[in-house]
PDB file of all heavy atoms in Angstrom:
ATOM      1  N   VAL A 131     -56.592  18.554  14.393  1.00 87.00           N
ATOM      2  CA  VAL A 131     -56.067  17.230  13.983  1.00 87.00           C
ATOM      3  C   VAL A 131     -55.412  16.574  15.190  1.00 87.00           C
ATOM      4  O   VAL A 131     -54.542  17.158  15.839  1.00 87.00           O
ATOM      5  CB  VAL A 131     -55.033  17.361  12.839  1.00 87.00           C
ATOM      6  CG1 VAL A 131     -54.474  15.979  12.455  1.00 87.00           C
ATOM      7  CG2 VAL A 131     -55.666  18.006  11.611  1.00 87.00           C
ATOM      8  N   ILE A 132     -55.865  15.403  15.513  1.00 87.00           N
ATOM      9  CA  ILE A 132     -55.265  14.624  16.618  1.00 87.00           C
ATOM     10  C   ILE A 132     -54.611  13.397  15.973  1.00 87.00           C
ATOM     11  O   ILE A 132     -55.276  12.642  15.259  1.00 87.00           O
ATOM     12  CB  ILE A 132     -56.336  14.176  17.634  1.00 87.00           C
ATOM     13  CG1 ILE A 132     -57.127  15.398  18.131  1.00 87.00           C
ATOM     14  CG2 ILE A 132     -55.681  13.432  18.803  1.00 87.00           C
ATOM     15  CD1 ILE A 132     -58.509  15.034  18.639  1.00 87.00           C
ATOM     16  N   THR A 133     -53.319  13.257  16.181  1.00 81.00           N
ATOM     17  CA  THR A 133     -52.628  12.144  15.499  1.00 81.00           C
ATOM     18  C   THR A 133     -51.810  11.338  16.506  1.00 81.00           C
ATOM     19  O   THR A 133     -51.286  11.893  17.473  1.00 81.00           O
ATOM     20  CB  THR A 133     -51.746  12.669  14.342  1.00 81.00           C
ATOM     21  OG1 THR A 133     -51.067  11.569  13.746  1.00 81.00           O
ATOM     22  CG2 THR A 133     -50.699  13.673  14.807  1.00 81.00           C
ATOM     23  N   ALA A 134     -51.692  10.036  16.251  1.00 69.00           N
ATOM     24  CA  ALA A 134     -50.989   9.153  17.187  1.00 69.00           C
ATOM     25  C   ALA A 134     -49.481   9.287  17.048  1.00 69.00           C
ATOM     26  O   ALA A 134     -48.727   9.027  17.959  1.00 69.00           O
ATOM     27  CB  ALA A 134     -51.410   7.704  16.946  1.00 69.00           C
ATOM     28  N   ASP A 135     -49.007   9.647  15.860  1.00 64.00           N
ATOM     29  CA  ASP A 135     -47.559   9.796  15.681  1.00 64.00           C
ATOM     30  C   ASP A 135     -47.305  11.002  14.782  1.00 64.00           C
ATOM     31  O   ASP A 135     -48.186  11.847  14.617  1.00 64.00           O
ATOM     32  CB  ASP A 135     -46.937   8.516  15.096  1.00 64.00           C
ATOM     33  CG  ASP A 135     -47.748   8.033  13.907  1.00 64.00           C
ATOM     34  OD1 ASP A 135     -48.242   8.912  13.154  1.00 64.00           O
ATOM     35  OD2 ASP A 135     -47.907   6.809  13.719  1.00 64.00           O
ATOM     36  N   SER A 136     -46.147  11.028  14.183  1.00 54.00           N
ATOM     37  CA  SER A 136     -45.796  12.218  13.396  1.00 54.00           C
ATOM     38  C   SER A 136     -46.187  12.082  11.930  1.00 54.00           C
ATOM     39  O   SER A 136     -45.701  12.823  11.091  1.00 54.00           O
ATOM     40  CB  SER A 136     -44.285  12.465  13.496  1.00 54.00           C
ATOM     41  OG  SER A 136     -43.600  11.323  13.034  1.00 54.00           O
ATOM     42  N   ARG A 137     -47.072  11.103  11.643  1.00 57.00           N
ATOM     43  CA  ARG A 137     -47.390  10.874  10.230  1.00 57.00           C
ATOM     44  C   ARG A 137     -48.466  11.830   9.720  1.00 57.00           C
ATOM     45  O   ARG A 137     -49.467  11.426   9.168  1.00 57.00           O
ATOM     46  CB  ARG A 137     -47.826   9.421  10.024  1.00 57.00           C
ATOM     47  CG  ARG A 137     -46.679   8.440  10.130  1.00 57.00           C
ATOM     48  CD  ARG A 137     -47.135   7.054   9.773  1.00 57.00           C
ATOM     49  NE  ARG A 137     -48.095   6.541  10.764  1.00 57.00           N
ATOM     50  CZ  ARG A 137     -48.704   5.368  10.647  1.00 57.00           C
ATOM     51  NH1 ARG A 137     -48.476   4.610   9.605  1.00 57.00           N
ATOM     52  NH2 ARG A 137     -49.538   4.951  11.562  1.00 57.00           N
ATOM     53  N   PHE A 138     -48.297  13.089   9.971  1.00 62.00           N
ATOM     54  CA  PHE A 138     -49.241  14.047   9.396  1.00 62.00           C
ATOM     55  C   PHE A 138     -48.459  15.146   8.693  1.00 62.00           C
ATOM     56  O   PHE A 138     -48.242  16.234   9.197  1.00 62.00           O
ATOM     57  CB  PHE A 138     -50.153  14.648  10.471  1.00 62.00           C
ATOM     58  CG  PHE A 138     -51.255  15.474   9.853  1.00 62.00           C
ATOM     59  CD1 PHE A 138     -52.271  14.852   9.127  1.00 62.00           C
ATOM     60  CD2 PHE A 138     -51.263  16.842   9.949  1.00 62.00           C
ATOM     61  CE1 PHE A 138     -53.272  15.603   8.523  1.00 62.00           C
ATOM     62  CE2 PHE A 138     -52.273  17.603   9.346  1.00 62.00           C
ATOM     63  CZ  PHE A 138     -53.280  16.985   8.633  1.00 62.00           C
ATOM     64  N   SER A 139     -47.971  14.767   7.548  1.00 58.00           N
ATOM     65  CA  SER A 139     -47.246  15.741   6.734  1.00 58.00           C
ATOM     66  C   SER A 139     -47.239  15.213   5.321  1.00 58.00           C
ATOM     67  O   SER A 139     -47.649  14.089   5.077  1.00 58.00           O
ATOM     68  CB  SER A 139     -45.806  15.897   7.233  1.00 58.00           C
ATOM     69  OG  SER A 139     -45.150  14.654   7.167  1.00 58.00           O
ATOM     70  N   GLY A 140     -46.748  15.983   4.399  1.00 57.00           N
ATOM     71  CA  GLY A 140     -46.580  15.525   3.012  1.00 57.00           C
ATOM     72  C   GLY A 140     -47.858  14.974   2.430  1.00 57.00           C
ATOM     73  O   GLY A 140     -48.868  15.677   2.276  1.00 57.00           O
ATOM     74  N   ALA A 141     -47.830  13.670   2.159  1.00 58.00           N
ATOM     75  CA  ALA A 141     -48.935  13.016   1.459  1.00 58.00           C
ATOM     76  C   ALA A 141     -50.226  13.114   2.256  1.00 58.00           C
ATOM     77  O   ALA A 141     -51.324  13.318   1.688  1.00 58.00           O
ATOM     78  CB  ALA A 141     -48.576  11.556   1.199  1.00 58.00           C
ATOM     79  N   ALA A 142     -50.130  12.985   3.603  1.00 68.00           N
ATOM     80  CA  ALA A 142     -51.339  13.015   4.437  1.00 68.00           C
ATOM     81  C   ALA A 142     -52.014  14.387   4.344  1.00 68.00           C
ATOM     82  O   ALA A 142     -53.247  14.479   4.224  1.00 68.00           O
ATOM     83  CB  ALA A 142     -50.961  12.701   5.880  1.00 68.00           C
ATOM     84  N   THR A 143     -51.243  15.457   4.407  1.00 76.00           N
ATOM     85  CA  THR A 143     -51.797  16.811   4.315  1.00 76.00           C
ATOM     86  C   THR A 143     -52.459  17.016   2.956  1.00 76.00           C
ATOM     87  O   THR A 143     -53.579  17.539   2.863  1.00 76.00           O
ATOM     88  CB  THR A 143     -50.665  17.851   4.482  1.00 76.00           C
ATOM     89  OG1 THR A 143     -49.864  17.448   5.572  1.00 76.00           O
ATOM     90  CG2 THR A 143     -51.212  19.233   4.722  1.00 76.00           C
ATOM     91  N   ALA A 144     -51.718  16.575   1.912  1.00 74.00           N
ATOM     92  CA  ALA A 144     -52.250  16.729   0.556  1.00 74.00           C
ATOM     93  C   ALA A 144     -53.549  15.936   0.407  1.00 74.00           C
ATOM     94  O   ALA A 144     -54.519  16.407  -0.206  1.00 74.00           O
ATOM     95  CB  ALA A 144     -51.208  16.272  -0.463  1.00 74.00           C
ATOM     96  N   GLY A 145     -53.581  14.759   0.984  1.00 81.00           N
ATOM     97  CA  GLY A 145     -54.773  13.904   0.903  1.00 81.00           C
ATOM     98  C   GLY A 145     -55.958  14.570   1.591  1.00 81.00           C
ATOM     99  O   GLY A 145     -57.075  14.579   1.062  1.00 81.00           O
ATOM    100  N   LEU A 146     -55.712  15.149   2.783  1.00 85.00           N
ATOM    101  CA  LEU A 146     -56.779  15.792   3.532  1.00 85.00           C
ATOM    102  C   LEU A 146     -57.310  17.032   2.789  1.00 85.00           C
ATOM    103  O   LEU A 146     -58.507  17.291   2.751  1.00 85.00           O
ATOM    104  CB  LEU A 146     -56.250  16.197   4.915  1.00 85.00           C
ATOM    105  CG  LEU A 146     -57.306  16.592   5.940  1.00 85.00           C
ATOM    106  CD1 LEU A 146     -58.268  15.433   6.212  1.00 85.00           C
ATOM    107  CD2 LEU A 146     -56.667  17.047   7.246  1.00 85.00           C
ATOM    108  N   ARG A 147     -56.379  17.754   2.159  1.00 85.00           N
ATOM    109  CA  ARG A 147     -56.775  18.925   1.380  1.00 85.00           C
ATOM    110  C   ARG A 147     -57.725  18.505   0.257  1.00 85.00           C
ATOM    111  O   ARG A 147     -58.782  19.127   0.056  1.00 85.00           O
ATOM    112  CB  ARG A 147     -55.515  19.599   0.812  1.00 85.00           C
ATOM    113  CG  ARG A 147     -55.760  20.920   0.097  1.00 85.00           C
ATOM    114  CD  ARG A 147     -54.438  21.541  -0.342  1.00 85.00           C
ATOM    115  NE  ARG A 147     -53.592  21.843   0.802  1.00 85.00           N
ATOM    116  CZ  ARG A 147     -53.714  22.939   1.561  1.00 85.00           C
ATOM    117  NH1 ARG A 147     -54.642  23.826   1.278  1.00 85.00           N
ATOM    118  NH2 ARG A 147     -52.921  23.145   2.585  1.00 85.00           N
ATOM    119  N   THR A 148     -57.345  17.441  -0.441  1.00 85.00           N
ATOM    120  CA  THR A 148     -58.188  16.930  -1.536  1.00 85.00           C
ATOM    121  C   THR A 148     -59.562  16.519  -0.996  1.00 85.00           C
ATOM    122  O   THR A 148     -60.601  16.772  -1.619  1.00 85.00           O
ATOM    123  CB  THR A 148     -57.495  15.743  -2.234  1.00 85.00           C
ATOM    124  OG1 THR A 148     -56.179  16.126  -2.568  1.00 85.00           O
ATOM    125  CG2 THR A 148     -58.227  15.295  -3.488  1.00 85.00           C
ATOM    126  N   PHE A 149     -59.533  15.864   0.183  1.00 88.00           N
ATOM    127  CA  PHE A 149     -60.782  15.415   0.822  1.00 88.00           C
ATOM    128  C   PHE A 149     -61.720  16.604   1.069  1.00 88.00           C
ATOM    129  O   PHE A 149     -62.904  16.581   0.721  1.00 88.00           O
ATOM    130  CB  PHE A 149     -60.436  14.714   2.142  1.00 88.00           C
ATOM    131  CG  PHE A 149     -61.608  14.363   2.989  1.00 88.00           C
ATOM    132  CD1 PHE A 149     -62.362  13.206   2.728  1.00 88.00           C
ATOM    133  CD2 PHE A 149     -61.998  15.161   4.070  1.00 88.00           C
ATOM    134  CE1 PHE A 149     -63.449  12.874   3.518  1.00 88.00           C
ATOM    135  CE2 PHE A 149     -63.083  14.834   4.859  1.00 88.00           C
ATOM    136  CZ  PHE A 149     -63.820  13.690   4.590  1.00 88.00           C
ATOM    137  N   PHE A 150     -61.154  17.685   1.655  1.00 88.00           N
ATOM    138  CA  PHE A 150     -61.962  18.871   1.952  1.00 88.00           C
ATOM    139  C   PHE A 150     -62.470  19.517   0.670  1.00 88.00           C
ATOM    140  O   PHE A 150     -63.674  19.818   0.549  1.00 88.00           O
ATOM    141  CB  PHE A 150     -61.133  19.888   2.755  1.00 88.00           C
ATOM    142  CG  PHE A 150     -61.261  19.679   4.239  1.00 88.00           C
ATOM    143  CD1 PHE A 150     -60.432  18.783   4.913  1.00 88.00           C
ATOM    144  CD2 PHE A 150     -62.237  20.358   4.962  1.00 88.00           C
ATOM    145  CE1 PHE A 150     -60.561  18.591   6.274  1.00 88.00           C
ATOM    146  CE2 PHE A 150     -62.370  20.162   6.339  1.00 88.00           C
ATOM    147  CZ  PHE A 150     -61.523  19.267   7.000  1.00 88.00           C
ATOM    148  N   ILE A 151     -61.576  19.741  -0.308  1.00 88.00           N
ATOM    149  CA  ILE A 151     -61.987  20.432  -1.544  1.00 88.00           C
ATOM    150  C   ILE A 151     -63.076  19.655  -2.247  1.00 88.00           C
ATOM    151  O   ILE A 151     -64.112  20.208  -2.654  1.00 88.00           O
ATOM    152  CB  ILE A 151     -60.764  20.643  -2.466  1.00 88.00           C
ATOM    153  CG1 ILE A 151     -59.780  21.640  -1.834  1.00 88.00           C
ATOM    154  CG2 ILE A 151     -61.186  21.144  -3.850  1.00 88.00           C
ATOM    155  CD1 ILE A 151     -58.435  21.747  -2.549  1.00 88.00           C
ATOM    156  N   THR A 152     -62.896  18.343  -2.355  1.00 87.00           N
ATOM    157  CA  THR A 152     -63.860  17.507  -3.075  1.00 87.00           C
ATOM    158  C   THR A 152     -65.245  17.613  -2.444  1.00 87.00           C
ATOM    159  O   THR A 152     -66.259  17.685  -3.146  1.00 87.00           O
ATOM    160  CB  THR A 152     -63.374  16.038  -3.096  1.00 87.00           C
ATOM    161  OG1 THR A 152     -62.034  16.014  -3.545  1.00 87.00           O
ATOM    162  CG2 THR A 152     -64.231  15.169  -4.013  1.00 87.00           C
ATOM    163  N   HIS A 153     -65.276  17.607  -1.089  1.00 87.00           N
ATOM    164  CA  HIS A 153     -66.583  17.695  -0.424  1.00 87.00           C
ATOM    165  C   HIS A 153     -67.175  19.090  -0.538  1.00 87.00           C
ATOM    166  O   HIS A 153     -68.395  19.236  -0.731  1.00 87.00           O
ATOM    167  CB  HIS A 153     -66.448  17.291   1.054  1.00 87.00           C
ATOM    168  CG  HIS A 153     -66.328  15.802   1.226  1.00 87.00           C
ATOM    169  ND1 HIS A 153     -65.147  15.125   1.071  1.00 87.00           N
ATOM    170  CD2 HIS A 153     -67.280  14.856   1.507  1.00 87.00           C
ATOM    171  CE1 HIS A 153     -65.328  13.837   1.256  1.00 87.00           C
ATOM    172  NE2 HIS A 153     -66.642  13.629   1.533  1.00 87.00           N
ATOM    173  N   LEU A 154     -66.302  20.120  -0.472  1.00 87.00           N
ATOM    174  CA  LEU A 154     -66.802  21.501  -0.503  1.00 87.00           C
ATOM    175  C   LEU A 154     -67.380  21.868  -1.867  1.00 87.00           C
ATOM    176  O   LEU A 154     -68.345  22.638  -1.956  1.00 87.00           O
ATOM    177  CB  LEU A 154     -65.694  22.488  -0.119  1.00 87.00           C
ATOM    178  CG  LEU A 154     -65.254  22.441   1.355  1.00 87.00           C
ATOM    179  CD1 LEU A 154     -64.019  23.302   1.581  1.00 87.00           C
ATOM    180  CD2 LEU A 154     -66.395  22.887   2.274  1.00 87.00           C
ATOM    181  N   VAL A 155     -66.785  21.331  -2.940  1.00 87.00           N
ATOM    182  CA  VAL A 155     -67.236  21.727  -4.289  1.00 87.00           C
ATOM    183  C   VAL A 155     -68.449  20.936  -4.771  1.00 87.00           C
ATOM    184  O   VAL A 155     -68.914  21.152  -5.884  1.00 87.00           O
ATOM    185  CB  VAL A 155     -66.098  21.620  -5.335  1.00 87.00           C
ATOM    186  CG1 VAL A 155     -64.942  22.524  -4.963  1.00 87.00           C
ATOM    187  CG2 VAL A 155     -65.656  20.172  -5.501  1.00 87.00           C
ATOM    188  N   GLN A 156     -68.940  20.042  -3.940  1.00 83.00           N
ATOM    189  CA  GLN A 156     -70.083  19.239  -4.361  1.00 83.00           C
ATOM    190  C   GLN A 156     -71.296  20.103  -4.672  1.00 83.00           C
ATOM    191  O   GLN A 156     -72.151  19.733  -5.462  1.00 83.00           O
ATOM    192  CB  GLN A 156     -70.448  18.207  -3.285  1.00 83.00           C
ATOM    193  CG  GLN A 156     -69.473  17.027  -3.205  1.00 83.00           C
ATOM    194  CD  GLN A 156     -69.260  16.371  -4.538  1.00 83.00           C
ATOM    195  OE1 GLN A 156     -70.213  15.930  -5.196  1.00 83.00           O
ATOM    196  NE2 GLN A 156     -68.013  16.318  -4.979  1.00 83.00           N
ATOM    197  N   GLU A 157     -71.329  21.286  -4.059  1.00 79.00           N
ATOM    198  CA  GLU A 157     -72.494  22.156  -4.249  1.00 79.00           C
ATOM    199  C   GLU A 157     -72.466  22.841  -5.610  1.00 79.00           C
ATOM    200  O   GLU A 157     -73.461  23.362  -6.082  1.00 79.00           O
ATOM    201  CB  GLU A 157     -72.534  23.206  -3.134  1.00 79.00           C
ATOM    202  CG  GLU A 157     -72.888  22.582  -1.784  1.00 79.00           C
ATOM    203  CD  GLU A 157     -72.816  23.588  -0.645  1.00 79.00           C
ATOM    204  OE1 GLU A 157     -72.714  24.796  -0.934  1.00 79.00           O
ATOM    205  OE2 GLU A 157     -72.864  23.154   0.510  1.00 79.00           O
ATOM    206  N   ILE A 158     -71.316  22.853  -6.256  1.00 84.00           N
ATOM    207  CA  ILE A 158     -71.212  23.498  -7.568  1.00 84.00           C
ATOM    208  C   ILE A 158     -71.734  22.541  -8.632  1.00 84.00           C
ATOM    209  O   ILE A 158     -71.350  21.367  -8.663  1.00 84.00           O
ATOM    210  CB  ILE A 158     -69.732  23.888  -7.863  1.00 84.00           C
ATOM    211  CG1 ILE A 158     -69.250  24.891  -6.818  1.00 84.00           C
ATOM    212  CG2 ILE A 158     -69.563  24.443  -9.282  1.00 84.00           C
ATOM    213  CD1 ILE A 158     -67.771  25.178  -6.845  1.00 84.00           C
ATOM    214  N   GLU A 159     -72.559  23.077  -9.495  1.00 81.00           N
ATOM    215  CA  GLU A 159     -73.201  22.191 -10.472  1.00 81.00           C
ATOM    216  C   GLU A 159     -72.295  21.890 -11.668  1.00 81.00           C
ATOM    217  O   GLU A 159     -72.348  20.812 -12.229  1.00 81.00           O
ATOM    218  CB  GLU A 159     -74.506  22.829 -10.947  1.00 81.00           C
ATOM    219  CG  GLU A 159     -75.574  22.759  -9.881  1.00 81.00           C
ATOM    220  CD  GLU A 159     -76.871  23.375 -10.345  1.00 81.00           C
ATOM    221  OE1 GLU A 159     -76.969  23.736 -11.537  1.00 81.00           O
ATOM    222  OE2 GLU A 159     -77.793  23.490  -9.521  1.00 81.00           O
TER     223      GLU A 159
END
Side-chain angles (χ1 to χ4, degrees):
Chain A
V131 178
I132 305 156
T133 178
D135 48 37
S136 58
R137 288 186 293 176
F138 189 69
S139 59
T143 315
L146 193 61
R147 186 176 298 278
T148 309
F149 172 81
F150 270 87
I151 293 170
T152 310
H153 284 82
L154 291 171
V155 300
Q156 286 308 304
E157 290 175 12
I158 298 170
E159 287 181 7

